[in-house]
Amino acid sequence: MTQSPLATYQPAQRALALIGGEATDANLRRYLHGIPGIDAVGLEARAADLGTRSIKTSSKRWAIDTIIGLIDLTTLEGADTPGKVRSLVAKALLPDPGDPGTPRVAAVCVYGDMVGSAVTALGSAHAAGGTSGVNVAAVATAFPSGRASLAIKLADVHDAVAAGADEIDMVIDRGAFLAGRFGQVYDEIVAVKDACRRADGSMAHLKVILETGELNTYDNVRRASWLAILAGGDFIKTSTGKVAPAATLPVTLSMLEVVRDWHRLTGVRIGVKPAGGIRTSKDAIKYLVTVAETVGEEWLTPHLFRFGASSLLNDVLLQRQKMTTGHYSGPDYVTID
Amino acid sequence: MNRLAIPKTYKLYIGGKFPRSESGRVYEVLSHKGDFLANAAKGSRKDARDAVVAARSALGGWAGATAYNRGQVLYRIAELLEGRRAQFIDEIMSCEGVNAAGASAQVDEAIDRWVWYAGWADKYVQVAGNANPVSGPFFNLSVPEPTGVVAIIAPQGAESLLGLVSAIAPALVAGNTVVVVANENAPLSAISLGEVLATSDVPGGVVNIVTGSPAEIAPWLATHADVNALDLVGAGDLDWVELQISAADTLKRVLPPEVGADAAAPALSRILAFTELKTVWHTKAIL
């Protein structure tokens, strides 16, 4: 495949070249509304079709271990305590104490003020952006509503990064997006991306939460995905998990298609993270199939695909125990949190 | 004018719903003369797994209901059985080849037995529990509590309705939830009982009925880690010693097979078989 000249540009230049001018509301609207619309019926039919694949025996075993390695083990409750974060980290490091061969999850995902507790609890197992160990992701920018001034959102991000967060899950301003103030959404993402820079110049990974449940149409999801990628997001994430509907297979498929198109256009790989509502291994396997069929199997690494989930891990562990022992397991044999 | 008979397809009863087997299989139920009666779902291990999930999620509500309420709900089932007696008599006659009087007697006995067990719901704790004498200023109380999810292999011989009722009623009384593998050759009254349960006040998932081959399904229930007890009352023709051994891996309570006319005879011991004794200490008030 011949690379387009766009691939050689710096990210900011590239975005401006694509948009055809400064990132103003008018320019962004012209660009985003110029993207072809989505055939909603076709998208849902395609997603439903991908969900019918039968994954059994050795493929299923591979899928289960892959899923565990892609999970962002999440606790985002008002009642979170340092103790709860410690037990979450313990579970992230050793998901199934009955089988030390169980892979570790990719990251733990907590509120910004809990990052310190998570980093301490991880100790030497803290991957700090690397590949061995577990990363710490923090939600920021007035999660989950995003209703705060930019200064407060940026302070939120700075705090989390300073406390040792390797990944920042930001929310976009859905109100601004739906009102057509694309420039504001764009500028916020750019500013948050800049705030992800650490003192030593390295960058925390930025995941941009679109909150697709509030965007109403697949066309809006596609536009928001383009907008987030243009502005410099490393990952696009479906939902906060606080709004229903959260992640659905068609929405994730449409975001994967944007990521595929972006890769074809620029050669850059963007990650996707469906979050919320994925509770069973069966559902998660459907997502694996969709990823492999849409962007390719090379996306099935923690750097390019994640599940945002809390209860999914237990269901996957039950399936894993069933495959290992040959008989059905039960909720008494996995930890509650 | 001749009309085309519409034979009923008998489905499973899981979680308050009537699904077909996930395997898509059915088997023919034949009359005692060998004539085709109906198609029944041939349940698979995954149906049994789904049934256990349904039973587990129903356990909290059923075990947490007051004993009086459980008794009322169970008594209500007996009322509904009475209203459907013609259907049960018809199915028993065609399946088991007994005459109307014999089938009627079986239905009567099943209803009576159900009422007998329903009456125990708010009484068995008084009989089996105790205030224990201890040498100290404490109350020491022992109370039976339900074991949890009970898997039952229903009696496989004659008297399909009575056998089923005798097996599931005692487990329900204490507040257990039940997954029962029905009589393989005569499953019709089992699913009709499911229809009675679905229209009664029993919450969905408290009783789950799987039709099909006990030999195929029983090993999965015996090894299932989320099943707390196993009633092998109708497993006499299976390799039930092997089932007991595999049930021991997860420390299940197990009842052995029973055969003969007195199989699963009504007894308080059948209720207590699926209870756990909890003993609590509490200080006495100092006056």
Side-chain angles (χ1 to χ4, degrees), chain B residues 266-285:
Chain B
L268 179 61
S269 60
R270 287 200 75 82
I271 299 175
L272 298 180
F274 299 125
T275 57
E276 307 296 329
L277 212 55
K278 179 175 81 177
T279 297
V280 291
W281 294 70
H282 196 284
T283 48
K284 281 182 175 164

Side-chain angles (χ1 to χ4, degrees), chain A residues 172-313:
Chain A
I172 65 166
D173 186 337
R174 281 88 74 188
F177 180 86
L178 292 170
R181 299 200 303 276
F182 298 133
Q184 182 186 338
V185 179
Y186 181 94
D187 290 344
E188 275 193 13
I189 298 172
V190 170
V192 171
K193 172 95 177 173
D194 194 54
C196 288
R197 193 180 304 279
R198 298 192 191 92
D200 64 1
S202 60
M203 302 285 283
H205 237 56
L206 179 63
K207 306 194 198 110
V208 183
I209 304 173
L210 310 179
E211 194 63 295
T212 54
E214 293 183 340
L215 296 182
N216 300 327
T217 67
Y218 293 126
D219 286 342
N220 275 345
V221 171
R222 179 176 278 185
R223 288 179 194 127
S225 303
W226 275 99
L227 187 60
I229 295 171
L230 283 168
D234 301 307
F235 249 86
I236 48 178
K237 172 174 167 183
T238 60
S239 324
T240 59
K242 304 289 184 194
V243 169
T248 66
L249 201 53
V251 156
T252 310
L253 172 58
S254 70
M255 290 164 64
L256 285 164
E257 286 173 348
V258 174
V259 164
R260 176 196 63 197
D261 293 347
W262 183 256
H263 179 238
R264 282 182 186 161
L265 190 65
T266 66
V268 175
R269 290 186 169 90
I270 301 293
V272 176
K273 176 177 171 184
I278 306 168
R279 295 199 176 82
T280 63
S281 331
K282 204 171 188 176
D283 283 346
I285 288 173
K286 292 178 185 177
Y287 281 85
L288 292 193
V289 171
T290 305
V291 171
E293 291 287 328
T294 311
V295 286
E297 276 182 45
E298 69 265 29
W299 246 265
L300 292 176
T301 80
H303 283 291
L304 292 171
F305 192 76
R306 297 280 179 88
F307 290 104
S310 41
S311 55
L312 170 64
L313 181 56

Side-chain angles (χ1 to χ4, degrees), chain A residues 315-330:
Chain A
D315 191 73
V316 175
L317 291 178
L318 291 180
Q319 293 287 331
R320 201 171 185 280
Q321 290 173 358
K322 157 75 173 67
M323 300 204 79
T324 308
T325 62
H327 59 73
Y328 290 117
S329 188

Side-chain angles (χ1 to χ4, degrees), chain A residues 56 282 319 322 326-333, chain B residues 45-46 49 56 220 223-226 228 249-250:
Chain A
K56 299 291 180 199
K282 204 171 188 176
Q319 293 287 331
K322 157 75 173 67
H327 59 73
Y328 290 117
S329 188
D332 288 350
Y333 296 81
Chain B
R45 67 179 170 91
K46 292 189 179 178
R49 172 200 65 184
R56 173 62 59 190
W220 292 99
T223 56
H224 198 309
D226 205 25
N228 303 110
D249 279 344
T250 45

Side-chain angles (χ1 to χ4, degrees), chain B residues 124-178:
Chain B
Y124 84 93
V125 175
Q126 293 90 308
V127 177
N130 196 37
N132 309 309
V134 289
S135 58
F138 301 101
F139 294 114
N140 184 268
L141 305 170
S142 293
V143 284
E145 295 191 335
T147 298
V149 174
V150 180
I152 298 172
I153 311 301
Q156 300 291 310
E159 306 209 299
S160 57
L161 177 66
L162 183 62
L164 181 69
V165 165
S166 309
I168 66 174
L172 293 175
V173 165
N176 298 294
T177 55
V178 162

Side-chain angles (χ1 to χ4, degrees), chain B residues 193-220:
Chain B
L193 181 69
E195 291 171 2
V196 167
L197 296 170
T199 52
S200 75
D201 304 324
V202 182
V206 169
V207 181
N208 303 278
I209 301 171
V210 180
T211 53
S213 159
E216 178 190 339
I217 300 169
W220 292 99

